[in-house]
Amino acid sequence: MSAVLARPAPSTRGATLRTLAAAEARRYARSPVFLAGVLLLLWATATSLGDLDDAGGDLAVVPAACLGLAGVLVGHSLTRSTSRPGDAVRAAPADGALRTAALALACLVPGAVALAWAVWVALALAAADLPVAIGWGRQAGMLATGVVAAVGGPLVGVLVGRWTRFPGAGLVAAVVLTGWTLACTAGLMMTATRWGTLVHLNAPFATWTSADGPDAPPWLAGGSPWWYVAYQVALCGLAATAAMVHEATGARRTRLWRVLAVLAVVAVGCLALACAADPTRVFL
Amino acid sequence: MTVVPTVALTGVTKRFRGTAALDDVHLTLGPGITGLLGPNGAGKTTLLRITATVLTPGAGEVVLFGTRPAGPEQLAAVRRRLGYLPQEMGHPRGFTGFGFVDYMAVLKEWTDRAARHAEVRRVLELVDLDGVAARRVSALSGGQRRRLGLAQALLGDPDLLLLDEPTTGVDPGQRVTLRQVLSRAGERSTVLLSTHQTEDVAALCDRVVVLDGGRVRFDGAVADLVATAAGRVWLADAPDPAARASWRTGTGRHRVVGQAAPAGAEPAEPTLEDAYLLLLGERARTTGVAA
Amino acid sequence: MSTSTGGWHADEDLLSRYVRGDAGPVAAASLEQHLLRCASCRDRIAAHVPVPLLDAAWERVRDEAVAGRPRRLERLLVRLGVPAPDALLVATAPSLRTSWLVGLVVTLVFVGLGAAYGGDRGLTFFLLVAPLVPVAGVAFAYGPDADPSHEAALATPYPATRLLLLRTAAVLAASLPPVLLAALLVPALSWTAVAWLLPALSLTAALLAASTWVRPTVTAAALGAGWTAAVTSASRAADPTAVLAPALLVAYAVLGCLALLVLALRSRSLTTLGSPS
């Protein structure tokens, strides 16, 4: 039984993490909010595939909302429910940072679903033989933003669950992410400069197509989708590391703080590179 | 009988999704301490909840202090006279020990601040928590929290005290303190005490009720229950797989509880635990090592 | 330092008059000066101080030390005229704690930002969140999820309906004005900045009515999901403000009244555990 784990050798730690992560992943996959999100994803995709020709790129908003935003609530509730029994959990052989790492790994579950979704949409686009005006590279990058958002949302949920104790924190985090994302669409209304791109792309999730009016032709915003995806990944890393810092102690905590600093620099760098690309809009 | 019993349950039945948690329970309680024993899922908590008026029975009649608590007025009148410690007793966040009991006292209609604080201090002293009353509940140990829950049940010296496993997580020294508090309460009030600790029942109660599968299996004096095990407990040199239970004791010999004496065994003085194991029969068929 | 005071000591009569407060200001002041330096007079004055008075003072000091000061919200409620015991019970609700109010402010900042700069989606976002703010607050003000000692509290004579309504009123008073203020600060919202109040109150009433059957957090989740579905489908169809159409506003008012009626009729079931855990 657990007595075997009393002396955590490095190999034992990895095995414990794998076991814990598998258990957390199962809990994630069984969460009713996650399952509802998956159903919503299927339904929303089915109803939007019809207008692929004009706004194909922005389909990524569907997994970002159904898996990412809903995932904030799932991640938060999973984290809260593991920390609630208090003494019993604290006495378990696996330490807090390890349990947080397992929770962070469980956030790959919605990511996997989003990835499957992205592949499916890409195949549907290819099968429909629609003219991909923006090129496959950009199109794939835009779909990837949805996949990363599906992982990032739950990670923010874990982060908030670790650092706060009040019950509505998951909802507040979801509102904050949505408000931040929506406010950044102001960048699409600005003139097409690098500053406008910065306002547009600093959000945790960004949509790329817009139009100057109801009947005006749609256009694609400037900036680099792939560097933006890198920025999102760095944000995910920040969330996961910051969540692990809470329970870590001693040298490990110091190391995590250093990782956090490095990731922050990487995030800023990726955002700068995403905005440094040509800001001109491409009419579709 | 001329005295109105504090609690009179007649044919009380409660079902949860088809399974009977309580099945046709008849129980009458008057002043004194009654122990409620039974395995997990026997219906102890349901019985206490129904008696504490926080759960309505599916069928049967509950009469407390001679009235059926039907309307809000009667319900409040009954609740004024009872103290209840639930099995799951959490505490709202941010409270000190004193603050929590003070909060419960307000709910128990102690509106005058000075009188309420005096009463809160009294019950905290009773459970030996006055020294840590200014600490946050979250900083208290499990046993201290349990005693805090008991303190709020003792507010106002209630006529009916319903305690669901009050001694869980309480260390032996504190348990003795609690026994003193409860035995004093039992002198004038009716106390119903649900527990897994047969020693608590043996030490405190004059009467014991054993529940199993939602039914009352035994209701009588503790001595009468112990007497049922007379001649069925032995000390032997080897474990006896055929017995109801047998375990190795600290002296190296095996205590055997069963119907037939194993070879080379000598009779032993039965305890309440032995009688309880025998009563529950096949449910308790275990062979293990006890410290 | 010498304790000698030149041989003079206060007589018993002066000491007893001083303790009673009848010594007169000049004599009292000079006696106080003397007492500071004279140990023997300090010893003798103790005999004149009535013991019950000392005990009462000590009691008050001890009480202050152990009981502590009432919380800020509790003091505020008392100043507003709420009876002190009720104020204590209301202030215990998690959704009235500082952390919750901080959460509310953060929510409003981001809803405001989204509504101000997010165009039609921002409007949808505002319509989605604003009416659910009081619902979430009430859900975490009462019941087993909000109060871990709920079961013990149920067994007390304090009326459960009164507690629920007191806390609901406090949550509404704490959450509606900030949301309204934030909405009025965003010009893009125009009349919807006020119209959301009706569904908000109606949803809250529905929550109260449903809490006589199931725990409030479960109902709040269901209401939240329903409202989200309504607003997003209105938004996808054409216009998110369709959920505030005049006919629907009337329907909200009617539903709200019906819900309050249900609450009044079924308030008895609030006094027991709805669904056993």
Side-chain angles (χ1 to χ4, degrees), chain B residues 150-197:
Chain B
L150 182 62
Q152 63 81 24
L154 291 168
L155 280 168
D157 215 353
D159 295 322
L160 173 59
L161 200 51
L162 301 161
L163 307 172
D164 204 343
E165 300 182 15
T167 52
T168 324
V170 176
D171 70 49
Q174 298 298 344
R175 190 173 287 182
V176 172
T177 317
L178 291 193
R179 280 181 191 167
Q180 284 164 355
V181 175
L182 294 183
S183 63
R184 217 171 308 140
E187 283 168 18
R188 57 165 290 275
S189 315
T190 305
V191 183
L192 182 58
L193 175 81
S194 153
T195 181
H196 284 297
Q197 314 283 341

Short mmCIF file of all heavy atoms in Angstrom, two decimals, chain B residues 150-197:
data_model
loop_
_atom_site.label_atom_id
_atom_site.label_comp_id
_atom_site.label_asym_id
_atom_site.label_seq_id
_atom_site.Cartn_x
_atom_site.Cartn_y
_atom_site.Cartn_z
N LEU B 150 -20.18 20.02 20.17
CA LEU B 150 -20.91 19.59 21.37
C LEU B 150 -21.30 20.81 22.21
O LEU B 150 -22.40 20.88 22.75
CB LEU B 150 -20.03 18.63 22.18
CG LEU B 150 -20.67 18.07 23.43
CD1 LEU B 150 -21.91 17.25 23.07
CD2 LEU B 150 -19.68 17.21 24.20
N ALA B 151 -20.38 21.80 22.26
CA ALA B 151 -20.67 23.00 23.05
C ALA B 151 -21.94 23.68 22.56
O ALA B 151 -22.79 24.08 23.36
CB ALA B 151 -19.48 23.97 22.98
N GLN B 152 -22.09 23.81 21.23
CA GLN B 152 -23.29 24.48 20.74
C GLN B 152 -24.55 23.66 21.03
O GLN B 152 -25.61 24.22 21.26
CB GLN B 152 -23.19 24.84 19.25
CG GLN B 152 -23.07 23.70 18.26
CD GLN B 152 -24.40 23.05 17.92
OE1 GLN B 152 -25.45 23.67 18.04
NE2 GLN B 152 -24.35 21.80 17.50
N ALA B 153 -24.41 22.31 21.08
CA ALA B 153 -25.57 21.49 21.40
C ALA B 153 -25.99 21.68 22.86
O ALA B 153 -27.16 21.54 23.20
CB ALA B 153 -25.27 20.03 21.13
N LEU B 154 -25.01 22.04 23.71
CA LEU B 154 -25.29 22.16 25.14
C LEU B 154 -25.87 23.54 25.50
O LEU B 154 -26.26 23.75 26.65
CB LEU B 154 -24.01 21.93 25.95
CG LEU B 154 -23.46 20.50 25.94
CD1 LEU B 154 -22.06 20.47 26.52
CD2 LEU B 154 -24.37 19.58 26.74
N LEU B 155 -25.89 24.47 24.54
CA LEU B 155 -26.40 25.82 24.81
C LEU B 155 -27.79 25.76 25.42
O LEU B 155 -28.68 25.07 24.91
CB LEU B 155 -26.46 26.63 23.51
CG LEU B 155 -25.15 27.25 23.00
CD1 LEU B 155 -25.35 27.75 21.59
CD2 LEU B 155 -24.70 28.36 23.91
N GLY B 156 -27.98 26.49 26.50
CA GLY B 156 -29.30 26.59 27.10
C GLY B 156 -29.73 25.35 27.85
O GLY B 156 -30.90 25.23 28.20
N ASP B 157 -28.78 24.43 28.10
CA ASP B 157 -29.09 23.24 28.88
C ASP B 157 -30.36 22.55 28.39
O ASP B 157 -31.37 22.48 29.09
CB ASP B 157 -29.27 23.66 30.35
CG ASP B 157 -28.74 22.59 31.27
OD1 ASP B 157 -28.38 21.52 30.76
OD2 ASP B 157 -28.72 22.82 32.49
N PRO B 158 -30.35 22.01 27.17
CA PRO B 158 -31.59 21.52 26.55
C PRO B 158 -32.15 20.29 27.26
O PRO B 158 -31.41 19.54 27.89
CB PRO B 158 -31.17 21.17 25.13
CG PRO B 158 -29.71 20.92 25.22
CD PRO B 158 -29.19 21.83 26.28
N ASP B 159 -33.45 20.12 27.15
CA ASP B 159 -34.11 18.95 27.77
C ASP B 159 -33.86 17.68 26.97
O ASP B 159 -33.95 16.58 27.50
CB ASP B 159 -35.62 19.20 27.86
CG ASP B 159 -35.93 20.35 28.78
OD1 ASP B 159 -35.24 20.47 29.80
OD2 ASP B 159 -36.82 21.14 28.47
N LEU B 160 -33.60 17.86 25.68
CA LEU B 160 -33.34 16.70 24.82
C LEU B 160 -32.03 16.96 24.08
O LEU B 160 -31.89 17.95 23.38
CB LEU B 160 -34.49 16.51 23.82
CG LEU B 160 -34.29 15.44 22.75
CD1 LEU B 160 -34.06 14.08 23.36
CD2 LEU B 160 -35.50 15.40 21.82
N LEU B 161 -31.09 16.06 24.27
CA LEU B 161 -29.77 16.23 23.68
C LEU B 161 -29.53 15.08 22.71
O LEU B 161 -29.53 13.92 23.12
CB LEU B 161 -28.74 16.22 24.81
CG LEU B 161 -27.36 16.82 24.58
CD1 LEU B 161 -27.45 18.22 23.99
CD2 LEU B 161 -26.60 16.86 25.89
N LEU B 162 -29.34 15.41 21.42
CA LEU B 162 -29.15 14.38 20.40
C LEU B 162 -27.75 14.51 19.85
O LEU B 162 -27.40 15.52 19.24
CB LEU B 162 -30.19 14.57 19.29
CG LEU B 162 -31.63 14.48 19.79
CD1 LEU B 162 -32.57 15.11 18.79
CD2 LEU B 162 -32.01 13.05 20.07
N LEU B 163 -26.94 13.50 20.06
CA LEU B 163 -25.52 13.61 19.71
C LEU B 163 -25.15 12.50 18.76
O LEU B 163 -25.24 11.32 19.09
CB LEU B 163 -24.67 13.54 20.97
CG LEU B 163 -25.05 14.53 22.07
CD1 LEU B 163 -24.27 14.26 23.34
CD2 LEU B 163 -24.85 15.96 21.62
N ASP B 164 -24.70 12.88 17.55
CA ASP B 164 -24.31 11.90 16.55
C ASP B 164 -22.79 11.77 16.56
O ASP B 164 -22.09 12.63 16.06
CB ASP B 164 -24.82 12.34 15.17
CG ASP B 164 -24.97 11.17 14.22
OD1 ASP B 164 -24.39 10.11 14.51
OD2 ASP B 164 -25.66 11.32 13.21
N GLU B 165 -22.30 10.71 17.15
CA GLU B 165 -20.87 10.43 17.27
C GLU B 165 -20.09 11.61 17.84
O GLU B 165 -19.22 12.17 17.18
CB GLU B 165 -20.31 10.00 15.90
CG GLU B 165 -21.00 8.76 15.40
CD GLU B 165 -20.44 8.27 14.08
OE1 GLU B 165 -19.35 8.69 13.69
OE2 GLU B 165 -21.10 7.44 13.45
N PRO B 166 -20.38 11.98 19.09
CA PRO B 166 -19.71 13.15 19.66
C PRO B 166 -18.25 12.92 19.98
O PRO B 166 -17.48 13.87 20.10
CB PRO B 166 -20.49 13.42 20.95
CG PRO B 166 -21.07 12.11 21.31
CD PRO B 166 -21.35 11.39 20.03
N THR B 167 -17.82 11.65 20.10
CA THR B 167 -16.45 11.42 20.55
C THR B 167 -15.49 11.10 19.41
O THR B 167 -14.34 10.75 19.66
CB THR B 167 -16.41 10.28 21.59
OG1 THR B 167 -17.07 9.15 21.04
CG2 THR B 167 -17.08 10.68 22.87
N THR B 168 -15.93 11.24 18.14
CA THR B 168 -15.03 10.97 17.01
C THR B 168 -13.86 11.94 17.06
O THR B 168 -14.05 13.15 17.13
CB THR B 168 -15.77 11.19 15.68
OG1 THR B 168 -17.10 10.75 15.84
CG2 THR B 168 -15.11 10.43 14.57
N GLY B 169 -12.65 11.42 17.00
CA GLY B 169 -11.46 12.28 16.93
C GLY B 169 -11.08 12.93 18.24
O GLY B 169 -10.20 13.78 18.27
N VAL B 170 -11.77 12.58 19.33
CA VAL B 170 -11.46 13.18 20.62
C VAL B 170 -10.49 12.28 21.37
O VAL B 170 -10.69 11.06 21.43
CB VAL B 170 -12.76 13.37 21.42
CG1 VAL B 170 -12.49 13.90 22.80
CG2 VAL B 170 -13.69 14.29 20.67
N ASP B 171 -9.42 12.85 21.93
CA ASP B 171 -8.41 12.00 22.57
C ASP B 171 -8.94 11.45 23.91
O ASP B 171 -9.91 11.97 24.45
CB ASP B 171 -7.08 12.74 22.71
CG ASP B 171 -7.14 13.85 23.74
OD1 ASP B 171 -7.61 13.61 24.86
OD2 ASP B 171 -6.71 14.97 23.41
N PRO B 172 -8.31 10.36 24.44
CA PRO B 172 -8.87 9.68 25.63
C PRO B 172 -9.07 10.60 26.82
O PRO B 172 -10.07 10.50 27.53
CB PRO B 172 -7.82 8.61 25.93
CG PRO B 172 -7.14 8.36 24.64
CD PRO B 172 -7.14 9.65 23.91
N GLY B 173 -8.13 11.53 27.03
CA GLY B 173 -8.27 12.44 28.16
C GLY B 173 -9.51 13.30 28.03
O GLY B 173 -10.31 13.44 28.97
N GLN B 174 -9.70 13.85 26.83
CA GLN B 174 -10.87 14.70 26.59
C GLN B 174 -12.15 13.89 26.64
O GLN B 174 -13.20 14.39 27.02
CB GLN B 174 -10.75 15.38 25.22
CG GLN B 174 -9.57 16.30 25.09
CD GLN B 174 -9.64 17.44 26.08
OE1 GLN B 174 -10.70 17.70 26.64
NE2 GLN B 174 -8.52 18.09 26.30
N ARG B 175 -12.03 12.62 26.24
CA ARG B 175 -13.21 11.77 26.23
C ARG B 175 -13.77 11.62 27.65
O ARG B 175 -14.96 11.63 27.87
CB ARG B 175 -12.85 10.42 25.64
CG ARG B 175 -14.05 9.56 25.36
CD ARG B 175 -13.66 8.32 24.62
NE ARG B 175 -13.31 8.59 23.24
CZ ARG B 175 -12.96 7.66 22.38
NH1 ARG B 175 -12.90 6.43 22.76
NH2 ARG B 175 -12.68 7.98 21.14
N VAL B 176 -12.84 11.53 28.60
CA VAL B 176 -13.26 11.43 30.00
C VAL B 176 -13.99 12.72 30.41
O VAL B 176 -15.05 12.67 31.05
CB VAL B 176 -12.04 11.15 30.91
CG1 VAL B 176 -12.44 11.24 32.37
CG2 VAL B 176 -11.48 9.77 30.60
N THR B 177 -13.44 13.87 30.01
CA THR B 177 -14.11 15.15 30.29
C THR B 177 -15.52 15.14 29.71
O THR B 177 -16.48 15.55 30.37
CB THR B 177 -13.31 16.31 29.66
OG1 THR B 177 -11.94 16.10 29.89
CG2 THR B 177 -13.76 17.64 30.21
N LEU B 178 -15.63 14.69 28.46
CA LEU B 178 -16.94 14.67 27.80
C LEU B 178 -17.91 13.75 28.53
O LEU B 178 -19.08 14.06 28.68
CB LEU B 178 -16.81 14.24 26.34
CG LEU B 178 -16.09 15.22 25.43
CD1 LEU B 178 -16.30 14.83 23.98
CD2 LEU B 178 -16.58 16.63 25.65
N ARG B 179 -17.37 12.60 29.00
CA ARG B 179 -18.24 11.69 29.73
C ARG B 179 -18.81 12.36 30.97
O ARG B 179 -19.98 12.18 31.30
CB ARG B 179 -17.46 10.44 30.14
CG ARG B 179 -17.33 9.45 28.99
CD ARG B 179 -16.60 8.22 29.43
NE ARG B 179 -16.26 7.41 28.26
CZ ARG B 179 -15.39 6.39 28.29
NH1 ARG B 179 -14.79 6.10 29.42
NH2 ARG B 179 -15.15 5.72 27.21
N GLN B 180 -17.95 13.16 31.65
CA GLN B 180 -18.45 13.86 32.84
C GLN B 180 -19.57 14.82 32.45
O GLN B 180 -20.61 14.90 33.11
CB GLN B 180 -17.31 14.62 33.52
CG GLN B 180 -16.38 13.69 34.31
CD GLN B 180 -15.07 14.34 34.66
OE1 GLN B 180 -14.79 15.46 34.25
NE2 GLN B 180 -14.25 13.62 35.41
N VAL B 181 -19.34 15.57 31.37
CA VAL B 181 -20.35 16.55 30.92
C VAL B 181 -21.66 15.83 30.60
O VAL B 181 -22.74 16.24 31.03
CB VAL B 181 -19.84 17.30 29.67
CG1 VAL B 181 -20.92 18.21 29.12
CG2 VAL B 181 -18.60 18.08 29.98
N LEU B 182 -21.53 14.73 29.85
CA LEU B 182 -22.74 14.04 29.40
C LEU B 182 -23.46 13.38 30.57
O LEU B 182 -24.70 13.40 30.63
CB LEU B 182 -22.39 13.00 28.34
CG LEU B 182 -21.88 13.59 27.03
CD1 LEU B 182 -21.62 12.49 26.02
CD2 LEU B 182 -22.86 14.59 26.45
N SER B 183 -22.70 12.81 31.50
CA SER B 183 -23.39 12.14 32.60
C SER B 183 -24.13 13.17 33.44
O SER B 183 -25.23 12.91 33.94
CB SER B 183 -22.41 11.33 33.44
OG SER B 183 -21.46 12.18 34.03
N ARG B 184 -23.56 14.39 33.57
CA ARG B 184 -24.26 15.43 34.30
C ARG B 184 -25.54 15.83 33.53
O ARG B 184 -26.60 16.02 34.11
CB ARG B 184 -23.36 16.64 34.51
CG ARG B 184 -23.57 17.30 35.88
CD ARG B 184 -22.50 18.35 36.14
NE ARG B 184 -21.16 17.83 35.94
CZ ARG B 184 -20.18 18.54 35.36
NH1 ARG B 184 -20.41 19.75 34.91
NH2 ARG B 184 -18.99 18.02 35.22
N ALA B 185 -25.40 15.95 32.21
CA ALA B 185 -26.57 16.32 31.41
C ALA B 185 -27.66 15.25 31.52
O ALA B 185 -28.85 15.54 31.56
CB ALA B 185 -26.17 16.52 29.96
N GLY B 186 -27.22 13.98 31.61
CA GLY B 186 -28.17 12.88 31.65
C GLY B 186 -28.96 12.80 32.95
O GLY B 186 -29.95 12.07 33.04
N GLU B 187 -28.50 13.53 33.97
CA GLU B 187 -29.23 13.48 35.24
C GLU B 187 -30.61 14.11 35.13
O GLU B 187 -31.55 13.67 35.79
CB GLU B 187 -28.42 14.19 36.34
CG GLU B 187 -27.26 13.35 36.85
CD GLU B 187 -26.30 14.16 37.71
OE1 GLU B 187 -26.71 15.25 38.18
OE2 GLU B 187 -25.16 13.71 37.90
N ARG B 188 -30.73 15.17 34.32
CA ARG B 188 -32.05 15.80 34.20
C ARG B 188 -32.60 15.77 32.77
O ARG B 188 -33.80 15.86 32.56
CB ARG B 188 -32.03 17.24 34.72
CG ARG B 188 -31.04 18.17 34.05
CD ARG B 188 -31.34 19.62 34.35
NE ARG B 188 -32.55 20.08 33.69
CZ ARG B 188 -32.58 20.54 32.44
NH1 ARG B 188 -31.49 20.58 31.73
NH2 ARG B 188 -33.70 20.95 31.90
N SER B 189 -31.72 15.62 31.76
CA SER B 189 -32.20 15.67 30.38
C SER B 189 -32.26 14.28 29.77
O SER B 189 -31.69 13.33 30.31
CB SER B 189 -31.27 16.54 29.53
OG SER B 189 -30.94 17.71 30.20
N THR B 190 -32.90 14.21 28.62
CA THR B 190 -32.91 12.99 27.84
C THR B 190 -31.76 13.09 26.84
O THR B 190 -31.70 14.06 26.08
CB THR B 190 -34.24 12.85 27.10
OG1 THR B 190 -35.28 12.93 28.06
CG2 THR B 190 -34.32 11.55 26.34
N VAL B 191 -30.86 12.13 26.87
CA VAL B 191 -29.70 12.17 25.97
C VAL B 191 -29.72 10.93 25.09
O VAL B 191 -29.82 9.82 25.59
CB VAL B 191 -28.37 12.23 26.77
CG1 VAL B 191 -27.20 12.35 25.81
CG2 VAL B 191 -28.38 13.37 27.76
N LEU B 192 -29.66 11.15 23.77
CA LEU B 192 -29.54 10.03 22.84
C LEU B 192 -28.20 10.17 22.14
O LEU B 192 -27.91 11.19 21.52
CB LEU B 192 -30.69 10.04 21.82
CG LEU B 192 -30.71 8.89 20.82
CD1 LEU B 192 -30.78 7.55 21.52
CD2 LEU B 192 -31.90 9.03 19.87
N LEU B 193 -27.39 9.15 22.28
CA LEU B 193 -25.99 9.23 21.90
C LEU B 193 -25.69 8.14 20.88
O LEU B 193 -25.70 6.97 21.22
CB LEU B 193 -25.17 9.03 23.18
CG LEU B 193 -23.67 8.94 23.13
CD1 LEU B 193 -23.12 10.35 23.05
CD2 LEU B 193 -23.17 8.27 24.39
N SER B 194 -25.43 8.55 19.64
CA SER B 194 -25.08 7.57 18.63
C SER B 194 -23.58 7.44 18.59
O SER B 194 -22.87 8.44 18.64
CB SER B 194 -25.61 8.04 17.27
OG SER B 194 -24.81 7.51 16.24
N THR B 195 -23.07 6.23 18.53
CA THR B 195 -21.62 6.07 18.58
C THR B 195 -21.20 4.73 17.99
O THR B 195 -22.00 3.82 17.80
CB THR B 195 -21.12 6.18 20.03
OG1 THR B 195 -19.71 6.04 20.06
CG2 THR B 195 -21.74 5.14 20.93
N HIS B 196 -19.90 4.65 17.66
CA HIS B 196 -19.31 3.37 17.30
C HIS B 196 -18.52 2.81 18.47
O HIS B 196 -17.97 1.72 18.38
CB HIS B 196 -18.38 3.54 16.10
CG HIS B 196 -19.13 3.70 14.81
ND1 HIS B 196 -19.92 2.71 14.30
CD2 HIS B 196 -19.20 4.72 13.93
CE1 HIS B 196 -20.46 3.12 13.16
NE2 HIS B 196 -20.04 4.34 12.93
N GLN B 197 -18.38 3.61 19.53
CA GLN B 197 -17.53 3.22 20.65
C GLN B 197 -18.38 2.52 21.70
O GLN B 197 -19.08 3.16 22.46
CB GLN B 197 -16.90 4.47 21.28
CG GLN B 197 -16.32 5.45 20.27
CD GLN B 197 -15.00 4.99 19.72
OE1 GLN B 197 -14.34 4.14 20.32
NE2 GLN B 197 -14.62 5.53 18.58
#
